Each structure stands twice: as C-alpha cells, then as structure tokens.
Amino acid sequence: MLRIGCHLSSSKGFLAMGKEAVRIGANTFQFFTRNPRGGNAKKLDLEDVASYLEYAQAHGISSILAHAPYTLNACAKDPDLRDFTYRTMCDDLSRLSHIPDAMYNFHPGCHVKQGAEAGIQYISGMMGRILEHGYHTPILLETMAGKGTEMGRSFEELQRILEQTEGGDCLGICLDTCHVFDGGYDIAGRLDDVLSEFDAVIGLGRLKAIHLNDSKSGLGSHKDRHEKIGQGKIGLEAFRAIVAHPRLQGLPFFLETPNDLDGYQQEIALLRGFAAGGSLAEGELPEL
C-alpha cells in the first residue's frame, strides 16, 4: 500500500494530527518540530504522545517525518547561529526519542558566500557532533533547489556531506521533487536516469523519504516555488510515474503543496489511484 501523507499543523498535538491524517486518507504525515520561523518549542505532552502512538498503531500510521524549522543553518557564517542550530537539533532529536517511528528532516543550510567547501565542512562537522549523542531517530538531509548559496543543490554535494560526516552511515536523504526539478534534474522527462544517477552518486539505500511537490518554475530555474500536483511544470504524468516506480516502493511520500486539508485529501486519493495502476486520459486533469 502506498504510504502517503501531507504536512499537518502540530499546534493541537500528535493525536490530533493522527486523526486529521486518517480523516483525509493518509497513513503518514509531516510536521514542524517548532515554529518554522522561530526557535521555541512548546512543552512535549507525553500523555498526548502515548495516546497518539496507540492510535497510530490501530490505524496503520507509520514513518512520520519531523521537519526542522527554517531558521536553522548548519553552515552559517556566524558561529552563534551555528551553535543555535546545533542546540535546536539536539533538542528536537531528544524529544523525538519518544516517537520511535519518526524521522527528522532538515535543510542543509546556506554557506553565505563562504564557499561550498566550507559549507560541507561545517555541516559534516556538526552532524558528527550530533551523532555522538547516540540519537536513534534517522536524520535526513533534504535535496535543495540551489537558490543563492544553498547547500544540497546537487547529489554530489550531498554525498560529500555524507561521506565527510563521522559516523554518518545512519544519515539519509529526503528527495523533494520541486527542488530537484528546479535544481536541474529532469524527473518529468528522465525519471529513470535521475534515479540511476542518484543511485550511482549517493545510493538508493540512503533515500528514506520523498516530498511530493509540483513546481511553478521550469527545469533548472533554482526557484523553489511549490505548486499543486499536476498544475505545475513537472506535470501530472510524472507523479503517476513517481508513486508507481518500482525503485521507490516502500518509501513514504509527503505532500507540501499549497493546499488546505480538502485539497490534500483529493491529491492523496489521486496518487493512491496512480500507485494502484490508474491513469488519466490525455489532457484530463483532476479537480484539485
């Protein structure tokens, strides 16, 4: 069965997110660990977590994805910002230890004109320090579109971070469809080739999750502007191929499209149909 969900608000707690996921036909979900533009996290309600875990087991929810806030920058020029990132990630991972089936995703950061080599060294060094704590939650670096001085703009750059991280064998990758398309990887026209390139450079064993987003911008635009499924430059048939691709089976998929819950429900139903072998007549688009 396709494991698919969307981004949900964590403001009401884990049990509420689990119930929202089930209501819209999802069997996984993503959430921010704290305010995406801030630094504070509300106190963890362990009773809510326990109720969620019981509910998730009863309803087949698994492989949820915790997303770090956008304020983190593991390769910032300012050492105080790097320290803030380190402390926040350690706090997030400590809290996630109460949710055994969760993974933790973060944007590698921006080197701020220090150069990619310095960025790689900062990120890999920080990840090595974090891994020394022995956290059990899988940590995923996200593929990025390559805006400005963003790190993670290519498979080679991500691989260099992984290989230079001491103890980094446990790290993984979250592939964002909008980001890689905007970064120049033609998943619309050459999906098999892109997956083969990923396998050759990083290894598909490192691929642990996929963000499903269409793109408002063209191939190689380096823009990072998400669009609803089938309404952007990647196109509907590419997503049919992605969710049904044999090399991607078993991975969790997370929608981050500009939608409300009803829109997510429609997209989830559409993609479930594709995964089950359904297709659209030429020129036909769903009402999303």
Side-chain angles (χ1 to χ4, degrees):
M1 176 185 291
L2 182 67
R3 186 146 303 281
I4 187 168
C6 62
H7 193 96
L8 298 175
S9 171
S10 61
S11 61
K12 295 180 181 178
F14 284 95
L15 181 58
M17 285 192 288
K19 290 182 176 180
E20 275 191 340
V22 169
R23 182 176 71 78
I24 62 174
N27 50 11
T28 189
F29 59 87
Q30 176 180 269
F31 64 98
F32 279 118
T33 58
R34 57 193 68 213
N35 187 321
R37 301 293 180 186
N40 294 325
K42 67 179 184 179
K43 183 178 178 181
L44 190 64
D45 185 342
L46 293 180
E47 289 187 4
D48 174 63
V49 170
S51 296
Y52 160 74
L53 292 174
E54 183 178 352
Y55 183 86
Q57 184 175 18
H59 292 83
I61 300 173
S62 64
S63 302
I64 66 174
L65 190 60
H67 199 305
Y70 297 135
T71 46
L72 303 192
N73 187 355
C75 56
K77 191 171 185 178
D78 185 339
D80 290 337
L81 293 178
R82 296 198 303 271
D83 182 64
F84 167 76
T85 298
Y86 170 77
R87 288 184 289 104
T88 300
M89 290 183 74
C90 287
D91 183 49
D92 281 350
L93 289 163
S94 177
R95 292 156 63 91
L96 287 169
S97 66
H98 296 283
I99 308 171
D101 202 31
M103 298 180 289
Y104 185 59
N105 178 70
F106 74 103
H107 291 185
C110 296
H111 63 71
V112 198
K113 298 183 179 180
Q114 299 174 97
E117 185 58 40
I120 290 167
Q121 292 179 4
Y122 277 134
I123 299 166
S124 59
M126 180 177 296
M127 294 314 302
R129 290 172 56 206
I130 289 171
L131 292 172
E132 288 177 355
H133 293 282
Y135 299 117
H136 297 298
T137 301
I139 304 172
L140 312 184
L141 291 88
E142 185 170 338
T143 59
M144 303 306 295
K147 294 187 302 179
T149 63
E150 275 184 342
M151 298 296 299
R153 65 178 59 217
S154 70
F155 298 159
E156 287 80 7
E157 204 164 75
L158 289 166
Q159 173 58 16
R160 291 187 63 198
I161 295 170
L162 295 172
E163 68 185 9
Q164 292 189 32
T165 299
E166 187 171 350
D169 290 344
C170 61
L171 298 177
I173 300 294
C174 175
L175 187 150
D176 186 296
T177 56
C178 172
H179 294 176
V180 295
F181 184 76
D182 286 15
Y185 293 95
D186 188 5
I187 57 171
R190 298 175 46 252
L191 177 60
D192 286 337
D193 292 340
V194 172
L195 293 179
S196 292
E197 183 175 351
F198 185 100
D199 194 30
V201 175
I202 297 176
L204 281 171
R206 292 272 200 177
L207 184 56
K208 303 298 182 182
I210 295 180
H211 284 162
L212 287 176
N213 303 296
D214 211 326
S215 175
K216 290 181 182 293
S217 306
L219 177 67
S221 62
H222 304 294
K223 293 288 189 181
D224 186 10
R225 298 171 65 210
H226 295 193
E227 181 55 281
K228 296 177 182 179
I229 299 299
Q231 298 186 21
K233 302 297 185 180
I234 297 175
L236 201 60
E237 281 306 306
F239 290 98
R240 182 205 59 75
I242 289 168
V243 297
H245 201 285
R247 304 185 82 177
L248 302 178
Q249 296 310 292
L251 292 175
F253 296 86
F254 301 92
L255 290 157
E256 293 181 320
T257 52
N259 259 316
D260 56 18
L261 286 177
D262 289 341
Y264 280 136
Q265 185 173 24
Q266 293 177 55
E267 287 184 337
I268 288 169
L270 171 72
L271 294 166
R272 282 201 186 285
F274 283 164
S279 62
L280 292 176
E282 184 176 356
E284 181 184 359
L285 288 176
E287 292 184 5
L288 297 176

